Amino acid sequence: MGEVMSGRYDAIIAGSGPGGASVARELAKKGKRVLVLEWGPGAPVRGSFLQYLLWQLIPGRSLLFTPDLLAMVRGIVTGGSSLFYYATAFPVPHDMLGRYGIDVRREEKEARSELPIAPLKDEMMTPMATRIMESARALGFDWNRLPKFMYQDRWKSGLRFGYYGDPHGVKWSARMLIEEAVSAGAVLVNRARVSGVIIEAGKAVGVKYKSSGRTREAFADTVIVAAGGIGSPVILRKSGVRESGYDFFFDPLVTVCGTVKDVRRRKDEIPMSAGCIFSEEGFVMTDLAVQTMLDRLFAVMSLRFWRIFQSRKTLRIMVKIRDDLAGRLTDNGGVRKKLTPADRERLRKGADIARNILHHAGATGLYSTWKLAAHPGGTVRIGRMLDSNLKVKDVENLYVCDCSVIPETWGLPPVLTLVCLGKRLARHLAERTKRAKKGPRTGRGKR
């Protein structure tokens, strides 16, 4: 945990997920005075279930429920949910962003040169993932290996995937960007929950945050709220930006399972090794090997108690949909959103395709697990509340950079896109500072 320095910062960033971490790294590398305030802890990652429980499964904090009883988790820790994600680098939605005047092709090229993004090599594709892929291809689906955020040269056969965080450093996470930012001079303060932005005369000048039981203040030329699809709109509402947190997406998903007799789940299974994006239908499907604890939880939630003993021979496909924009957040971050009839139809259609793939793969006893929701976004959308530079409309020096800014329903994990947006925002802020230092032009033509 760092210590807040006296004086004014160039930028304060509330949150340390992929968007905020990317901004922090880029600004710190440019020599800016950067303060990162993270609500969660920053202890070393042990990869244990107990640590995971404390960082992502505390009801009302990191574990939220919708009126439909869909569970939604978020990582409140340095690096955010990227510590626990399945490390898949889905495409950046350039066409969508382009409709709002945003081009991040330059930033994507840069990110891909810096980050470990590549499909899995042959030896990392396990028999279960391969069985699903071959079955899907035989049925005519364009099912291929997915690019992963993994340092594959660090991987060894038998090494368990970092579901609970990766102490081996094989799986990339936004925490690595934060570590680079700190090495470049940024200050990181953990267990510092930002409660609001200080706005004076229409300009953001700092933040209020709670740390060690006390309310404190820090000041900066620029404030970037990057507390996630739930956290950011809550902070903005408490700062007077009341229209945040309405009509959003949360990417509902269901998994379809079956058992096979001739293959067993390996210790080193990698989830989402391969899959297919059904763009027109509005969903994505991948293999989804999960840790034994979660597999048994799925079985219990589906009232198939006997399946808790069949974890190692379970084939599983995830169906994640592009849901309709709807619902609202409460002022304390409660999720008040229900699935629409169209959402339910997408889930049903995707589950039917998954059952056909598993049946063709030789799986029996097919069933669907209870619905979940993942990476909520669109709660502070570009075009509605933000301009093309991610600045909050009508408030100077206040920006947002996380999944909440995504302007349209999308249905895919956003990590690579958020890194690109973070890079773009940092470049914009640096260029804005240069223009300010040059001052206004003078000359004969001035009126």
Side-chain angles (χ1 to χ4, degrees):
M1 176 175 173
E3 184 175 341
V4 178
M5 297 180 291
S6 60
R8 194 178 185 91
Y9 290 85
D10 294 307
I12 295 173
I13 302 172
S16 63
S22 184
V23 179
R25 172 185 182 266
E26 298 301 318
L27 290 180
K29 287 176 61 179
K30 296 178 187 296
K32 305 298 182 182
R33 284 166 50 94
V34 176
L35 172 64
V36 180
L37 298 174
E38 168 56 50
W39 179 12
V45 176
R46 298 195 303 270
S48 68
F49 179 74
L50 177 59
Q51 191 177 59
Y52 172 77
L53 178 70
L54 296 173
W55 287 356
Q56 199 173 24
L57 294 180
I58 301 298
R61 174 182 164 108
S62 51
L63 174 61
L64 306 174
F65 291 92
T66 75
D68 288 333
L69 296 182
L70 274 69
M72 179 186 301
V73 294
R74 54 178 178 163
I76 298 180
V77 62
T78 301
S81 297
S82 70
L83 252 67
F84 313 114
Y85 74 152
Y86 292 168
T88 308
F90 279 94
V92 176
H94 292 293
D95 290 343
M96 178 208 296
L97 296 176
R99 289 192 285 272
Y100 299 85
I102 297 174
D103 185 352
V104 292
R105 288 177 175 83
R106 171 185 176 183
E107 288 77 13
E108 182 183 11
K109 182 178 180 181
E110 188 176 278
R112 288 183 178 276
S113 71
E114 296 171 349
L115 303 180
I117 302 175
L120 296 180
K121 53 188 178 182
D122 290 346
E123 54 266 40
M124 297 174 74
M125 289 291 298
T126 62
M128 281 195 158
T130 301
R131 172 72 67 88
I132 292 173
M133 181 169 65
E134 291 176 346
S135 177
R137 286 179 171 178
L139 294 174
F141 298 112
D142 189 24
W143 197 283
N144 297 296
R145 300 184 196 188
L146 296 172
K148 307 292 287 184
F149 285 106
M150 296 180 69
Y151 292 97
Q152 297 187 35
D153 57 330
R154 302 176 185 175
W155 179 85
K156 297 179 181 179
S157 179
L159 188 65
R160 192 184 303 276
F161 183 79
Y163 293 101
Y164 305 136
D166 186 1
H168 305 289
V170 176
K171 184 177 75 171
W172 177 89
S173 75
R175 177 174 285 210
M176 297 177 182
L177 295 181
I178 289 292
E179 291 170 350
E180 289 186 53
V182 171
S183 295
V187 175
L188 168 66
V189 180
N190 287 102
R191 302 188 185 280
R193 185 180 186 182
V194 173
S195 55
V197 180
I198 302 171
I199 299 175
E200 297 178 354
K203 294 183 178 181
V205 298
V207 299
K208 294 181 179 180
Y209 66 100
K210 293 182 179 179
S211 177
S212 301
R214 294 175 54 191
T215 297
R216 307 168 189 265
E217 294 181 346
F219 297 91
D221 298 330
T222 302
V223 174
I224 300 104
V225 179
I230 303 295
S232 286
V234 169
I235 291 173
L236 291 175
R237 277 193 192 173
K238 291 180 178 179
S239 308
V241 187
R242 298 296 303 172
E243 62 269 32
S244 59
Y246 295 91
D247 297 328
F248 56 95
F249 60 82
F250 61 3
D251 294 359
L253 66 93
V254 67
T255 73
V256 182
C257 312
T259 57
V260 289
K261 297 180 179 179
D262 56 335
V263 293
R264 293 291 182 271
R265 191 185 72 212
R266 288 181 6 189
K267 178 180 178 181
D268 56 3
E269 292 280 349
I270 298 174
M272 300 176 71
S273 295
C276 179
I277 299 175
F278 295 76
S279 298
E280 293 185 3
E281 293 84 353
F283 51 79
V284 61
M285 299 172 59
T286 75
D287 58 78
L288 194 71
V290 297
Q291 62 273 42
T292 300
M293 188 73 72
L294 183 56
D295 180 86
R296 290 176 175 173
L297 179 61
F298 277 139
V300 170
M301 292 173 64
S302 303
L303 302 180
R304 286 171 169 78
F305 302 100
W306 64 94
R307 299 299 292 263
I308 66 175
F309 304 108
Q310 299 176 342
S311 178
R312 290 197 60 226
K313 55 183 180 180
T314 296
L315 284 183
R316 184 186 306 274
I317 292 178
M318 179 194 72
V319 180
K320 184 195 299 288
I321 70 165
R322 183 176 66 236
D323 58 315
D324 295 334
L325 294 174
R328 66 179 179 87
L329 300 177
T330 69
D331 288 350
N332 292 320
V335 182
R336 302 294 183 264
K337 177 176 177 175
K338 293 187 176 183
L339 298 177
T340 67
D343 294 337
R344 295 182 184 278
E345 177 59 19
R346 293 184 194 102
L347 284 170
R348 183 202 63 78
K349 187 173 183 179
D352 285 347
I353 294 174
R355 285 190 182 90
N356 289 336
I357 294 172
L358 291 176
H359 176 73
H360 186 269
T364 59
L366 303 177
Y367 72 99
S368 296
T369 59
W370 187 245
K371 307 174 195 70
L372 301 172
H375 33 74
T379 46
V380 192
R381 298 200 298 276
I382 299 165
R384 178 180 177 180
M385 296 183 59
L386 307 178
D387 67 16
S388 60
N389 290 317
L390 309 188
K391 188 185 79 67
V392 176
K393 295 179 179 180
D394 301 324
V395 182
E396 295 301 314
N397 306 332
L398 179 57
Y399 296 80
V400 184
C401 190
D402 53 36
C403 197
S404 68
V405 312
I406 303 298
E408 299 175 12
T409 185
W410 183 23
L412 296 176
V415 173
L416 179 57
T417 298
L418 298 183
V419 170
C420 294
L421 288 173
K423 283 178 169 290
R424 182 178 183 271
L425 175 55
R427 184 169 284 119
H428 165 74
L429 294 175
E431 292 173 352
R432 187 190 67 165
T433 301
K434 288 182 181 178
R435 290 194 298 269
K437 287 182 177 180
K438 289 181 179 179
R441 294 182 178 180
T442 59
R444 292 182 178 180
K446 183 179 178 182
R447 295 181 179 180

